[in-house]
């Protein structure tokens, strides 16, 4: 363990670099407000003294708009129906929630959208009757690929009056793909007695149409869902009120923080302005990177926090909420702790069936590559997503290789001979800073595209190597990263 004074120094240094870089982003946002307003139509806010709001993060604006329209009322309706079912018809609660989920789906997606979800579910169930993992995966990938066929997209657009309604259907079908895939693969693995009990079509429909996670997740595997839904314990009204009050308090705090960030720092608009992104200082670039990934984290505390709260009120245990990205120092940790439900799905249904780590180094590399290939395809299969997936595959591979090397007995003995425990901590932090720099770059490619990734690569990595800064202040991003890892490695 490092001395307390040293840890305190790293903590305050890390916080100082965070807040100063955020201040630089705030200054650039104010200086270029008129220019960004003309190009991206900044919205006049009412929450923070008339400050304008950056509306260019599509995901946040999309879900907030849908929340104001219908989703919040439908989710409140689910909560009410669930509590009434607990009191009056507990044995039939799964089927009551299934009926409500199908009705709520019809309210927002219409008859055609609801039919599409049912058709995908039915096709997956029928193919799973062959008890072939290969056929079930082939079916899921085929159904997922139909979402990107231009002719099919035009037909679905014709069902709705607005693009937002069409996008809601696309997002819903994309998330539902993981759910009916989970059921189908579990059916392939089950023995006939278990199949007759749980892996039936009614339970599949109950699983797919469970409304809190219907449109955007998080992901809960079928075995977890069925076990928790059938073994619920009766909770007291007092306990439910406590869960509701604490959950609402956390959600409102995270929502307020996310809104504050979009009012103070126009990070998404700046990312959309290539010329401005190339011109800002390295401090501002670092602040934009940190603000972007932290906003993504806070955003998903809200988007996953709402269904997680409703699941707790239903007596279910949701996947853990994302861990703060400022505490992440490895690709492996990012995948393991940010979207836990998706990580568990990938490990259970992609990585392990592809061979996992049971077939040597080449088998591990192949299984990991298949996992990231599926993630990229599931997210949309765009060029920047393949680049992002490749960076993550390389990052995980290098981290595992270095970890195996460092854990070798000879290396361990050498480190113990020449380095004290405190020095080994600092050495670990130095290695982690390299990994985290690449992790942030890969996340920026995911959030901003290849163009944003190229700008950061050229300005932070290439230019800094060719023209080293005269002092630490000119480096912007690097000092804060290096010091913060001393804390995280402890």
């Amino acid at each position: 363990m490092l001395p307390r004074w040293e840890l305190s120094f790293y903590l305050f240094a890390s916080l100082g670099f965070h807040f100063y870089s955020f201040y630089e982003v705030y200054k650039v946002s104010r200086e270029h407000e008129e220019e960004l307003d003309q190009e991206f139509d900044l919205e006049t806010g009412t929450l923070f003294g008339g400050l304008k709001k950056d509306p260019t993060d599509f995901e946040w604006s999309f879900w907030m708009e849908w929340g104001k329209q219908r989703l919040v009322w439908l989710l409140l309706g689910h909560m009410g129906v669930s509590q009434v079912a607990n009191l009056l018809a507990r044995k039939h609660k799964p089927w009551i929630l299934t009926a409500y989920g199908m009705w709520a789906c019809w309210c927002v997606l219409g008859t055609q959208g609801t039919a599409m979800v049912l058709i995908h579910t039915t096709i997956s169930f029928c193919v799973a009757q062959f008890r072939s993992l290969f056929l079930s995966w082939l079916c899921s990938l085929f159904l997922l690929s139909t979402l990107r066929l231009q002719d099919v997209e035009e037909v679905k657009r014709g069902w709705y009056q607005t693009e937002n309604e069409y996008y809601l259907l696309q997002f819903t079908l994309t998330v539902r793909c993981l759910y009916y895939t989970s059921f189908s693969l579990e059916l392939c693995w089950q023995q006939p007695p278990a199949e007759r009990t749980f892996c039936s079509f009614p339970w599949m429909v109950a699983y797919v149409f469970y409304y809190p996670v219907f449109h955007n997740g998080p992901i809960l595997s079928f075995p977890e869902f069925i076990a928790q839904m059938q073994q619920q314990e009766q909770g007291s009204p007092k306990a439910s009120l406590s869960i509701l009050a604490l959950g609402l308090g956390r959600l409102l705090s995270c929502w307020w923080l996310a809104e504050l960030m979009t009012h103070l720092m126009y990070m998404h608009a700046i990312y959309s302005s290539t010329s401005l992104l190339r011109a800002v200082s390295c401090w501002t670039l670092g602040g934009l990177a940190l603000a972007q990934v932290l906003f993504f984290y806070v955003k998903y505390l809200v988007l996953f926090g709402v269904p997680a709260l409703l699941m707790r009120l239903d007596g279910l245990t949701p996947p853990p909420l994302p861990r703060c990205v400022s505490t992440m120092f490895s690709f492996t940790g990012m995948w393991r702790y940010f979207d836990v439900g998706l990580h568990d799905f990938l490990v259970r249904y992609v990585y392990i069936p592809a061979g996992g780590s049971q077939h040597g180094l080449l088998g591990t590399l192949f299984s990991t590559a298949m996992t990231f290939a599926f993630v990229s395809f599931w997210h949309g299969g765009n060029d920047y997503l393949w680049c992002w997936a490749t960076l993550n595959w390389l990052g995980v591979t290098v981290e595992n290789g270095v970890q195996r090397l460092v854990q070798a007995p000879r290396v361990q003995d050498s480190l113990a001979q020449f380095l004290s425990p405190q020095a080994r901590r600092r050495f670990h932090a130095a290695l982690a800073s390299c990994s985290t720099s690449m992790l942030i770059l890969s996340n920026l490619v995911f959030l901003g595209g290849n163009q944003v990734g190229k700008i950061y690569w050229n300005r932070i990595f290439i230019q800094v190597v060719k023209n080293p800064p005269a002092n630490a202040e000119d480096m912007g991003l690097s000092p804060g990263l290096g010091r913060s890892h001393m804390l995280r490695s402890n």
Side-chain angles (χ1 to χ4, degrees), residues 324-367:
C324 179
V325 291
S326 286
T327 66
M328 302 288 188
F329 55 89
S330 68
F331 285 88
T332 306
M334 185 72 179
W335 279 98
R336 185 172 293 166
Y337 299 116
F338 189 82
D339 189 343
V340 178
L342 179 60
H343 169 266
D344 292 347
F345 177 94
L346 295 172
V347 170
R348 182 175 178 83
Y349 300 116
V350 184
Y351 179 75
I352 293 177
S357 59
Q358 303 301 315
H359 301 285
L361 177 60
L362 290 179
T364 301
L365 292 175
F366 173 77
S367 301

Side-chain angles (χ1 to χ4, degrees), residues 175-196:
V175 175
R176 292 306 92 199
C177 175
L178 300 187
Y179 275 75
Y180 58 67
T181 299
S182 173
F183 176 92
S184 298
L185 297 178
E186 294 294 338
L187 177 58
C188 294
W189 288 332
Q190 290 296 328
Q191 299 298 324
E195 167 210 337
R196 290 195 298 269

Side-chain angles (χ1 to χ4, degrees), residues 36-193:
L36 294 171
D37 190 14
Q38 292 176 0
E39 188 173 357
F40 301 107
D41 294 325
L42 302 179
E43 297 177 354
T44 301
T46 57
L47 290 175
F48 305 100
L51 287 175
K52 290 188 176 181
K53 173 185 175 181
D54 180 1
T56 52
D57 183 79
F58 172 77
E59 191 174 31
W60 180 252
S61 300
F62 176 85
W63 290 114
M64 291 304 102
E65 186 64 28
W66 268 107
K68 294 175 186 176
Q69 291 179 2
R70 303 181 200 173
L71 293 187
V72 66
W73 304 111
L74 292 173
L75 291 171
L76 287 173
H78 171 93
M79 181 179 68
V81 169
S82 176
Q83 296 305 310
V84 171
N86 267 338
L87 295 174
L88 302 181
R90 187 170 184 80
K91 291 184 179 180
H92 304 290
K93 179 180 175 180
W95 314 117
I96 294 173
L97 294 183
T98 301
Y100 180 86
M102 297 181 73
W103 175 79
C105 174
W106 176 80
C107 287
V108 290
L109 298 180
T111 302
Q112 296 95 330
T114 306
M116 282 294 294
V117 178
L118 274 173
I119 289 171
H120 280 217
T121 303
T122 304
I123 292 174
S124 180
F125 179 80
C126 292
V127 172
Q129 304 307 308
F130 292 100
R131 305 297 192 276
S132 169
L133 296 176
F134 175 77
L135 288 179
S136 290
W137 262 120
L138 192 64
C139 173
S140 294
L141 293 175
F142 169 75
L143 293 174
L144 189 61
S145 66
T146 62
L147 303 183
R148 290 102 194 223
L149 296 177
Q150 187 173 356
D151 292 340
V152 177
E153 288 181 342
E154 291 303 319
V155 170
K156 288 186 287 189
R157 277 190 169 94
W159 297 343
Y160 303 108
Q161 296 179 351
T162 65
E163 282 288 290
N164 272 0
E165 292 175 297
Y166 161 74
Y167 284 128
L168 183 65
L169 174 61
Q170 289 290 89
F171 293 155
T172 302
L173 289 173
T174 301
V175 175
R176 292 306 92 199
C177 175
L178 300 187
Y179 275 75
Y180 58 67
T181 299
S182 173
F183 176 92
S184 298
L185 297 178
E186 294 294 338
L187 177 58
C188 294
W189 288 332
Q190 290 296 328
Q191 299 298 324

Side-chain angles (χ1 to χ4, degrees), residues 281-301:
S281 67
C282 284
W283 269 110
T284 306
L285 272 182
L288 284 168
L290 292 172
Q292 182 83 324
V293 295
L294 284 171
F295 178 81
F296 187 71
Y297 160 68
V298 176
K299 174 172 65 177
Y300 268 88
L301 285 182

Side-chain angles (χ1 to χ4, degrees), residues 264-332:
L264 294 180
M265 297 182 288
Y266 303 149
M267 49 199 161
H268 302 100
I270 295 174
Y271 271 142
S272 301
S273 177
T274 304
S275 59
L276 181 56
L277 190 60
R278 288 196 176 103
V280 298
S281 67
C282 284
W283 269 110
T284 306
L285 272 182
L288 284 168
L290 292 172
Q292 182 83 324
V293 295
L294 284 171
F295 178 81
F296 187 71
Y297 160 68
V298 176
K299 174 172 65 177
Y300 268 88
L301 285 182
V302 177
L303 297 183
F304 282 176
V306 172
L309 173 59
L310 293 175
M311 291 172 74
R312 289 191 184 94
L313 292 173
D314 287 343
L316 307 182
T317 302
L321 292 176
R323 180 182 292 184
C324 179
V325 291
S326 286
T327 66
M328 302 288 188
F329 55 89
S330 68
F331 285 88
T332 306

